[in-house]
Amino acid sequence: PFGVSLLVAGIDGDGVPRLFQVDPSGAYFGWKATAIGKNYVNAKNFLEKRFQDDMELEDAIHTALLTLREGFEGEMNGHNIEVGVVSKSDGK
């Protein structure tokens, strides 16, 4: 059987940013940073080495893009990559 894993990001009722991975079985796991899909093991190892709790937003975005580049085939540009930011300040 085929299924889809999802990464779901948001802000909880206390204003804390959360990231969850939801598996096809319905199981879910909370993460500070994670990766799913092709080459996810290498991506997760990369994130374990680079992620820090006190990262500035620009550093976190840069780390995310570097992580994507590790397993990306082809050129990364504005036509095939989008970055979304979940913010406590405006709730979006």
Side-chain angles (χ1 to χ4, degrees), residues 4-8 18-31 34:
V4 176
S5 288
L6 300 172
L7 293 179
V8 180
R18 302 286 184 191
L19 174 65
F20 291 96
Q21 174 184 347
V22 183
D23 284 345
S25 67
Y28 61 93
F29 311 93
W31 299 96
T34 192

Side-chain angles (χ1 to χ4, degrees), residues 2 18 22-23 33 46 48-49 52 56 59 61 81 87 91:
F2 294 97
R18 302 286 184 191
V22 183
D23 284 345
F46 184 82
E48 284 179 11
K49 293 175 186 170
Q52 298 174 9
E56 296 291 328
D59 292 333
I61 292 171
I81 298 292
S87 172

Side-chain angles (χ1 to χ4, degrees), residues 19-59:
L19 174 65
F20 291 96
Q21 174 184 347
V22 183
D23 284 345
S25 67
Y28 61 93
F29 311 93
W31 299 96
K32 292 185 179 185
T34 192
I36 59 175
K38 181 180 176 185
N39 208 15
Y40 77 94
V41 173
N42 290 337
K44 286 175 104 170
N45 288 335
F46 184 82
L47 285 169
E48 284 179 11
K49 293 175 186 170
R50 300 278 310 240
F51 179 81
Q52 298 174 9
D53 282 329
D54 60 349
M55 293 177 89
E56 296 291 328
L57 178 60
E58 292 300 319
D59 292 333

Side-chain angles (χ1 to χ4, degrees), residues 38 68-69 71-75 80:
K38 181 180 176 185
L68 280 173
R69 189 174 70 183
F72 198 82
E73 295 178 5
E75 179 186 358
N80 56 20

